[in-house]
Amino acid sequence: MNEAKKKLDISIGVSNDLSISYLGAFSVYLITGLFLAVGFWVARNKFSVDLVSDPSLTLFLLWSIEFPVVVIIYSFFRKSPEKCSCFKAIGRSILGLLSGAFLNALGAISLGAPIGMQYLPRTIHWSFLMSVFTCVPATAVFGASWTDWHRVFASLKASGNTEYMILIPAYGAIIGGWFGAWPMPLDWERPWQEWPICVCYGAIGGYIVGQILSLCLMLNRKDEHLKVA
């Protein structure tokens, strides 16, 4: 069992200290991006919907397909693996998904997201997708460690590639969603201006940009270490 786990860890670029290599991080982003694309493909080809025609169903498909992949991958990078099993990391990730969705929904409503039964399913599923982008990876790795959460997200003192993978895409999704909301109040009368369509596109775009930026920082960090050596 241990040998099988060791081989799986090596295949995705996990080192003995549960850090991750540049190529390993790239592989993680490739896999999660692929499954995000699968979500869009399933929505379009199996249900004949998209974010404009049926935001609620499309968002549900996106987060429900992406969530298991993110949880399984990031559980390999959990802190103190000798004390926290994969199953425990998965369990706390489910709690993180729910808590993160609640906080994202609360933040969206406080910033002006429409309230009403027509928009409630959209807000719920958008919040779950944002939670997958922002809270689930950190919950899988850190659990309820307030020290790590504060150090990474509040103090912005990420150390190591794994924490770059948690921090930068999460902020990218939040900033991207904020920029994506700008067209909503404009009098263009376009269907994609409805909540939360443009916000979702902005969040996904920001998430991808955050992944690319984190890879650049990892590569720069690797070069600095080689120069020091």
Side-chain angles (χ1 to χ4, degrees):
M1 183 69 179
N2 290 335
E3 286 297 322
K5 183 180 182 300
K6 186 182 293 185
K7 290 179 180 178
L8 179 59
D9 288 349
I10 293 172
S11 69
I12 62 173
V14 182
S15 64
N16 293 331
D17 60 353
L18 295 182
S19 183
I20 187 170
S21 66
Y22 173 84
L23 289 178
F26 179 78
S27 300
V28 169
Y29 289 158
L30 200 62
I31 294 169
T32 54
L34 175 63
F35 276 88
L36 198 60
V38 167
F40 279 108
W41 184 88
V42 170
R44 168 65 71 177
N45 292 280
K46 298 299 181 181
F47 294 90
S48 300
V49 297
D50 55 30
L51 280 173
V52 176
S53 63
D54 193 337
S56 298
L57 178 56
T58 305
L59 287 168
F60 167 73
L61 291 170
L62 290 178
W63 76 256
S64 61
I65 291 173
E66 185 78 355
F67 171 67
V69 179
V70 171
V71 170
I72 291 171
I73 290 176
Y74 280 88
S75 66
F76 285 106
F77 312 124
R78 65 195 183 279
K79 295 195 69 175
S80 304
E82 67 281 355
K83 298 179 181 178
C84 175
S85 66
C86 265
F87 291 109
K88 185 177 180 180
I90 291 171
R92 68 191 188 189
S93 296
I94 296 173
L95 294 177
L97 174 71
L98 298 173
S99 303
F102 174 77
L103 292 175
N104 277 287
L106 192 63
I109 292 170
S110 66
L111 290 173
I115 302 174
M117 293 307 297
Q118 174 188 355
Y119 296 102
L120 181 60
R122 302 182 183 189
T123 302
I124 290 173
H125 292 303
W126 172 84
S127 300
F128 274 111
L129 181 63
M130 287 297 293
S131 183
V132 172
F133 289 161
T134 58
C135 295
V136 171
T139 309
V141 175
F142 300 140
S145 174
W146 170 250
T147 302
D148 289 316
W149 282 80
H150 185 273
R151 176 177 56 81
V152 172
F153 287 104
S155 300
L156 302 179
K157 294 181 178 178
S159 61
N161 291 349
T162 302
E163 293 183 2
Y164 282 140
M165 291 171 61
I166 293 171
L167 171 66
I168 302 174
Y171 270 105
I174 294 169
I175 295 170
W178 183 71
F179 275 107
W182 282 19
M184 286 181 60
L186 300 179
D187 190 21
W188 294 345
E189 297 182 357
R190 304 290 184 181
W192 53 264
Q193 288 178 268
E194 285 282 325
W195 165 260
I197 300 168
C198 53
V199 178
C200 186
Y201 280 127
I204 293 173
Y207 183 69
I208 294 171
V209 170
Q211 290 180 329
I212 294 171
L213 180 58
S214 68
L215 286 174
C216 294
L217 291 175
M218 290 179 206
L219 193 58
N220 181 64
R221 185 167 173 265
K222 180 180 178 182
D223 290 341
E224 288 180 354
H225 284 176
L226 289 174
K227 288 178 182 178
V228 171

